[in-house]
Amino acid sequence: MDILKPRDAKDVEDAVQGALGGGHTLDIVGRGTKRAIGRPSQSELTLDLSGLTGVTLYEPDELVLSARAGTPIAEIEALVAASGQELAFEPMDYGPLLGGPPDAGSIGGVLAANLAGPRRIKSGAARDHFLGVTAVSGRGETFKSGGRVVKNVTGYDLCKLLAGSWGTLAVMTDVTLKTLPRAETEGSVLLRGLDAAAAVRAMAAAMGSSCDVSGAAHMRRDGWVTALRLEGVAPSVLHRQAALDALMRPFGKTEILGVQDSRALWRAVRDVTPFAGDARPLWRISTAPTAGPGLAAALCDAELIYDWAGGLIWAALPPGQDTRGDAGAAMARAAVAAAGGHATLIRAPAPVRAAVAVFDAQDAGVAALTRRVKEGFDPKGILNPGRMWAGV
Amino acid sequence: MSIMSLTLPVQDEAVLARRGEIVAALRAIVPGEGVIDAEREMRPYESDGLTAYRQLPMVVVLPQTTAQVSAVLRYCHANGIRVVPRGAGTSLSGGALPLGDAVLLGMGKFKRIREIDFANRVVVAEPGVTNLAVSTAVAHEGFYYAPDPSSQIACTIGGNVAENSGGVHCLKYGMTTNNVLGCELVLITGEILRLGGKHLDAGGYDLLGIVTGSEGLLGVVTEVTVRILKKPETARAVLVGFASSEDAGACVGAIIGAGIIPGGMEMMDRPAIHAVEEFVHAGYPLDVEALLIVELDGPSAEVDHLLERVESIARACRASVVRVSTSEEERLLFWAGRKAAFPAVGRISPDYYCMDGTIPRAQLPLVLARMREMSEKYGLRVANVFHAGDGNLHPLILYDANVPGELDRAEAFGTEILRLCVQVGGVLTGEHGVGVEKRDLMPDMFTEIDLAHQQRLKCAFDEKGLLNPGKVFPTLHRCAELGRVHVHHGHTAFPDIPRF
């Protein structure tokens, strides 16, 4: 398989034009850390954007950063950290979970996959921080949308459309994001030994308080632990920690986690570290928080991590349980259909990903609209064809 | 006032000729008083918040159920009839301006809150529920809905979705698009779709993110799911006066640069301060060029801590007045002035024209200076209120419609301001929408290719272009024409790109 490596945005436009003219399809790759997600590539050519690097604008006082799409996310995070800022949506790192190195992804990949971490419940996902884009559609034409200001309703918000479109509509070349001040400190309140139903009740009480909780997860760490994160200036974190501690006591014995341990814990939640380093089929399910435990119960013996106050479930299937050879797709789809939400198969062998619906199984109307949107941006189906759904 | 320089789509005479038949067909779908065709009764619908433009619709329909909305749209689609959706009609950009040959689809009867779910922190509401009513419905448990456009008493949640409405708390809490989780959407074909729900993010393309802010061009929303938040423990405001707008702008940058994101950060210039103080008596200092209201919210320990920092930053930025609210009454009084800014300006001028550009904040001194020059050039006064944290300007151009030529001058002045916003790296509209008002300025910000890509999205939702035509896009292209693929390089594939 040939690899095209554009040097700049003009090369990207030429590459897409060339593919269009030559009847080729393109596999769009940033730095390649998430290639194992989605249906396996069916393209004969790879468009490698790792040569499009560099932060082109960063104005901390204006909370804005622009970069070329292939810029390593680690470079951006280090740059903004030096000004006491961060990408508030806490983009997770899929690297280790998919058997690769950590901190290797690109900013374009972060946006194309609409990543978010535990802070999603407070600060939103990549989509909520994506201010502007320049991209080349499957028509081989360069277009832009949005801008460099946070408040903007001029025209359709194509940034939202491209966030989470996994390179199937356009190839992003330049992106602009909102940056935000990084919390000065953090701490966590822990509860031990709750079952899922009690944990979700505790997390709902925490989220429904004025403690401004920025992470709420339930996972195994020497038995089940329910963790609630507080971030901010030191006097505020101390004050809220005391209030939250009092609020959580009716649910069980509480513990306080200091800043270093808290950071390590939430990094592990963000990157789903407990499920890294193995090859079990892994599902990522988004649902209403209170529906989480019921949905998870329908997943039989899957090992679970609950994030987003119970609304995000990571479910790893035990070895040997995948008797149908579908990575649990039938079971997961049925559970989600009953509870509401959507499920994505994040990790499975390529033949399984080729055979089952990896992304949301859409109902007919939404599926038809999805196809029409794809046809508008990529009428010849040359960008990541079939990555999300067969024929799209 | 009449329609000024605005060109609307050519009326479809064939549709108008069938008006009687169309009214009868709509009455069969929406019985009783839900179909209005008498001129006198249609008058209230002839304009929205942008009252300079007026046009009677062909007929008004006020459905009460999703099934009726679906049947009306299906009928209009089958018969090639244009449809203009409308919420409360508070749009400031003419988004709900009727068309003479179109059905005006009013969603005002969708007034019910369907579900309040505190455990999942969401409210499911019909689109005609007002923005404020959502907050009111959850206030007894200490919750609220964060986006708070200044029209929140009247504007509806459906209209908020259509316009992606903002408010003074956007910088910290986001706009509508950041607070909507799901909707029920009826396409022009009558098809009913569900996008999102009580869960976060889309499983496929973020169609909800596209529908939000689409100004009624993609579909009609019949149900909305929004997230609600617990009210902050406390809020305090500080009033800061400056001898120059440069100092005020620098202070805003310094506050954010220090890692503080206030719940609200508003700026007014001298003409706005004076107009407001005369009207509201908020105790604003009158000897300053610019006034900032900075509000911090959260636990009292945090608010007190950050207020001290803001005070010292303000003094370092050469503030001439720094006054921290000492009671809830005083905090509300600080805000009362800002919230009354538009009516206050309305008192000192027979008419005013409200603009809505956003600029990179650092450009504020330049933009204000240029606006003063334009003010002299056009012979019209201008007062500025400004969502300072996110760079969203609201210049209010004062004019008298009864003086011949003043309205035209006000429009030309407004156009020049918006062009300037784009030139300095900003955008045409921060929260009011494009509508008809800024439609013809879109080419200042977007190339033809940019606009064609946006319109292809429109084609995916509404191929015949029947929903709210004449809004947002300066030129209407047929979808078939937009669908063509142009290959520039023929078969000389990848001439110069490094290949491995």
Side-chain angles (χ1 to χ4, degrees):
Chain A
M1 198 161 83
D2 270 10
I3 300 171
L4 295 168
K5 196 166 175 188
R7 294 153 299 193
D8 54 24
K10 182 73 182 66
D11 273 358
V12 174
E13 191 184 277
D14 285 346
V16 178
Q17 279 283 344
L20 205 53
H24 303 288
T25 60
L26 297 170
D27 199 18
I28 316 301
V29 176
R31 307 190 81 82
T33 59
K34 293 178 276 295
R35 290 186 88 177
I37 301 176
R39 302 176 74 252
S41 166
Q42 300 159 8
S43 300
E44 54 275 324
L45 281 169
T46 295
L47 187 61
D48 175 349
L49 300 171
S50 63
L52 266 65
T53 59
V55 171
T56 51
L57 175 145
Y58 177 42
E59 293 179 7
D61 288 4
E62 303 252 351
L63 305 172
V64 63
L65 176 141
S66 300
R68 297 195 183 94
T71 308
I73 183 72
E75 183 184 323
I76 288 172
E77 290 190 318
L79 175 72
V80 300
S83 290
Q85 296 194 336
E86 66 183 355
L87 300 177
F89 54 98
E90 207 176 5
M92 75 169 290
D93 179 7
Y94 271 113
L97 201 56
L98 300 172
D103 298 319
S106 68
I107 187 66
V110 163
L111 294 166
N114 189 31
L115 294 189
R119 209 182 288 113
R120 172 70 183 89
I121 50 177
K122 176 175 181 246
S123 304
R127 74 186 284 277
D128 297 294
H129 301 256
F130 189 8
L131 303 179
V133 68
T134 303
V136 180
S137 71
R139 298 172 167 274
E141 295 174 335
T142 299
F143 69 95
K144 66 175 180 310
S145 179
R148 52 156 293 186
V149 292
V150 288
K151 212 164 170 192
N152 177 12
V153 294
T154 321
Y156 298 143
D157 190 353
L158 300 185
C159 294
K160 296 279 186 304
L161 183 69
L162 296 189
S165 67
W166 293 84
T168 59
L169 297 174
V171 186
M172 293 183 253
T173 57
D174 296 273
V175 297
T176 299
L177 290 101
K178 175 161 81 168
T179 60
L180 280 169
R182 189 178 180 178
E184 286 175 14
T185 187
E186 69 172 80
S188 292
V189 175
L190 304 186
L191 288 154
R192 285 193 190 274
L194 301 187
D195 63 22
V200 165
R201 281 198 300 277
M203 291 191 284
M207 294 305 299
S209 76
S210 49
C211 291
D212 201 14
V213 172
S214 70
H218 180 62
M219 66 198 293
R220 273 212 168 93
R221 275 168 78 99
D222 307 323
W224 284 99
V225 173
T226 310
L228 303 161
R229 178 172 62 179
L230 302 165
E231 297 174 291
V233 291
S236 174
V237 170
L238 278 176
H239 169 92
R240 286 180 287 144
Q241 218 161 256
L244 187 61
D245 187 56
L247 187 70
M248 288 298 107
R249 280 208 191 125
F251 293 95
K253 194 171 164 309
T254 58
E255 279 169 50
I256 302 290
L257 216 52
V259 55
Q260 296 306 329
D261 290 340
S262 179
R263 282 204 177 121
L265 173 87
W266 290 102
R267 171 84 196 213
V269 175
R270 189 194 82 172
D271 295 342
V272 203
T273 306
F275 296 165
D278 67 58
R280 288 175 292 172
L282 181 65
W283 287 86
R284 179 183 187 271
I285 301 169
S286 175
T287 190
T290 55
L295 192 158
L299 299 175
C300 302
D301 296 322
E303 196 184 326
L304 304 166
I305 294 173
Y306 296 87
D307 195 359
W308 299 357
L312 178 68
I313 300 168
W314 292 95
L317 260 57
Q321 193 185 321
D322 187 11
T323 48
R324 287 165 173 264
D326 71 344
M331 182 175 69
R333 297 277 168 226
V336 171
H342 58 85
T344 310
L345 178 56
I346 293 296
R347 188 173 63 195
V352 177
R353 284 184 282 119
V356 306
V358 172
F359 286 89
D360 194 25
Q362 301 171 312
D363 41 78
V366 174
L369 181 55
T370 296
R371 277 171 194 278
R372 295 197 297 274
V373 171
K374 168 77 173 176
E375 278 161 23
F377 282 77
D378 181 21
K380 302 289 181 194
I382 61 170
L383 305 180
N384 275 355
R387 174 99 186 242
M388 295 183 79
W389 303 279
V392 172
Chain B
M1 272 176 261
S2 63
I3 293 195
M4 297 172 277
S5 51
L6 183 69
T7 315
L8 287 169
V10 177
Q11 291 206 355
D12 188 332
E13 295 302 330
V15 165
L16 281 173
R18 292 166 52 208
R19 184 169 184 261
E21 171 202 327
I22 291 166
V23 168
L26 293 172
R27 287 220 159 97
I29 298 169
V30 184
E33 294 173 354
V35 176
I36 301 170
D37 66 339
E39 190 184 316
R40 190 173 50 81
E41 290 168 54
M42 292 200 297
R43 275 287 162 216
Y45 298 93
E46 71 177 352
S47 76
D48 56 19
L50 186 67
T51 52
Y53 300 114
R54 291 174 195 277
Q55 167 66 52
L56 275 178
M58 175 171 67
V59 54
V60 176
V61 185
L62 306 173
Q64 282 181 295
T65 66
T66 300
Q68 287 176 350
V69 172
S70 168
V72 168
L73 293 179
R74 194 164 49 239
Y75 170 78
C76 290
H77 183 250
N79 289 278
I81 302 164
R82 291 164 173 162
V83 178
V84 176
R86 179 185 175 103
T90 57
S91 167
L92 293 171
S93 57
L97 179 70
L99 297 171
D101 62 351
V103 171
L104 186 84
L105 187 68
M107 298 301 289
K109 294 198 170 171
F110 281 74
K111 279 189 177 310
R112 215 163 48 89
I113 289 183
R114 291 188 179 164
E115 191 189 349
I116 297 173
D117 179 349
F118 287 113
N120 288 310
R121 298 168 304 285
V122 299
V123 167
V124 182
E126 293 180 351
V129 173
T130 63
N131 172 292
L132 188 62
V134 176
S135 285
T136 306
V138 296
H140 62 285
E141 291 281 342
F143 283 83
Y144 76 114
Y145 174 61
D148 58 344
S150 49
S151 56
Q152 69 178 147
I153 299 168
C155 69
T156 63
I157 202 77
N160 289 178
V161 171
E163 298 292 323
N164 188 17
S165 306
V168 297
H169 293 97
C170 284
L171 182 66
K172 186 166 177 184
Y173 297 102
M175 306 199 19
T176 303
T177 191
N178 312 112
N179 289 279
V180 173
L181 298 180
C183 74
E184 182 183 69
L185 180 77
V186 187
L187 299 183
I188 185 71
T189 53
E191 221 179 329
I192 301 166
L193 304 183
R194 281 212 159 263
L195 303 178
K198 292 183 182 178
H199 58 275
L200 295 170
D201 298 334
Y205 294 158
D206 187 359
L207 300 171
L208 180 64
I210 284 302
V211 166
T212 309
S214 64
E215 305 198 20
L217 271 75
L218 300 184
V220 176
V221 167
T222 47
E223 183 188 282
V224 185
T225 302
V226 297
R227 69 175 190 146
I228 49 170
L229 300 176
K230 188 79 170 186
K231 274 193 195 128
E233 214 179 276
T234 187
R236 290 176 73 191
V238 54
L239 212 56
V240 194
F242 296 90
S244 78
S245 58
E246 283 83 353
D247 287 347
C251 183
V252 171
I255 290 169
I256 290 173
I260 301 168
I261 300 293
M265 184 147 53
E266 295 292 308
M267 192 191 293
M268 286 177 270
D269 69 358
R270 176 182 275 271
I273 298 164
H274 282 252
V276 159
E277 185 54 27
E278 256 173 52
F279 182 35
V280 179
H281 309 295
Y284 290 168
L286 295 172
D287 55 347
V288 296
E289 281 303 313
L291 187 66
L292 270 185
I293 305 173
V294 183
E295 177 164 287
L296 295 155
D297 59 8
S300 48
E302 176 175 326
V303 170
D304 292 347
H305 178 82
L306 294 180
L307 265 180
E308 275 179 34
R309 285 201 203 170
V310 168
E311 271 191 78
S312 65
I313 291 168
R315 294 193 196 283
C317 292
R318 297 184 292 189
S320 56
V321 180
V322 180
R323 198 188 307 151
V324 179
S325 68
T326 52
S327 66
E328 183 63 5
E329 290 71 39
E330 195 175 11
R331 181 184 77 88
L332 293 175
L333 187 62
F334 288 178
W335 278 111
R338 167 60 186 88
K339 288 191 172 174
F342 290 10
V345 167
R347 282 175 79 240
I348 60 167
S349 171
D351 299 283
Y352 67 88
Y353 185 31
C354 173
M355 310 308 296
D356 173 47
T358 304
I359 55 170
R361 233 181 315 94
Q363 302 290 341
L364 181 68
L366 170 79
V367 170
L368 288 179
R370 292 280 299 280
M371 245 190 261
R372 281 191 289 271
E373 291 165 22
M374 290 179 214
S375 173
E376 282 186 24
K377 174 173 140 192
Y378 290 102
L380 296 172
R381 291 179 294 165
V382 62
N384 267 290
V385 295
F386 183 41
H387 300 306
D390 41 33
N392 188 196
L393 279 173
H394 289 313
L396 304 167
I397 300 169
L398 314 189
Y399 71 98
D400 183 348
N402 290 324
V403 177
E406 280 215 353
L407 173 57
D408 289 342
R409 290 214 307 278
E411 269 213 313
F413 188 172
T415 298
E416 200 171 332
I417 291 173
L418 293 183
R419 290 211 161 113
L420 176 64
C421 290
V422 174
Q423 278 161 22
V424 301
V427 300
L428 294 171
T429 171
E431 57 182 353
H432 294 173
V434 177
V436 293
E437 188 204 19
K438 282 150 274 191
R439 183 193 71 184
D440 295 336
L441 291 173
M442 289 288 270
D444 279 78
M445 192 167 146
F446 295 113
T447 65
E448 255 180 65
I449 290 176
D450 298 338
L451 289 171
H453 278 84
Q454 295 195 28
Q455 284 181 277
R456 287 186 187 107
L457 201 56
K458 163 77 172 169
C459 292
F461 283 80
D462 173 22
E463 201 192 347
K464 293 187 188 175
L466 293 173
L467 263 177
N468 221 4
K471 316 291 169 68
V472 182
F473 297 110
T475 316
L476 293 175
H477 292 290
R478 289 186 178 281
C479 289
E481 179 193 324
L482 288 166
R484 287 189 205 117
V485 180
H486 304 277
V487 180
H488 304 309
H489 292 273
H491 293 285
T492 57
F494 324 122
D496 308 316
I497 306 159
R499 190 166 176 165
F500 304 95

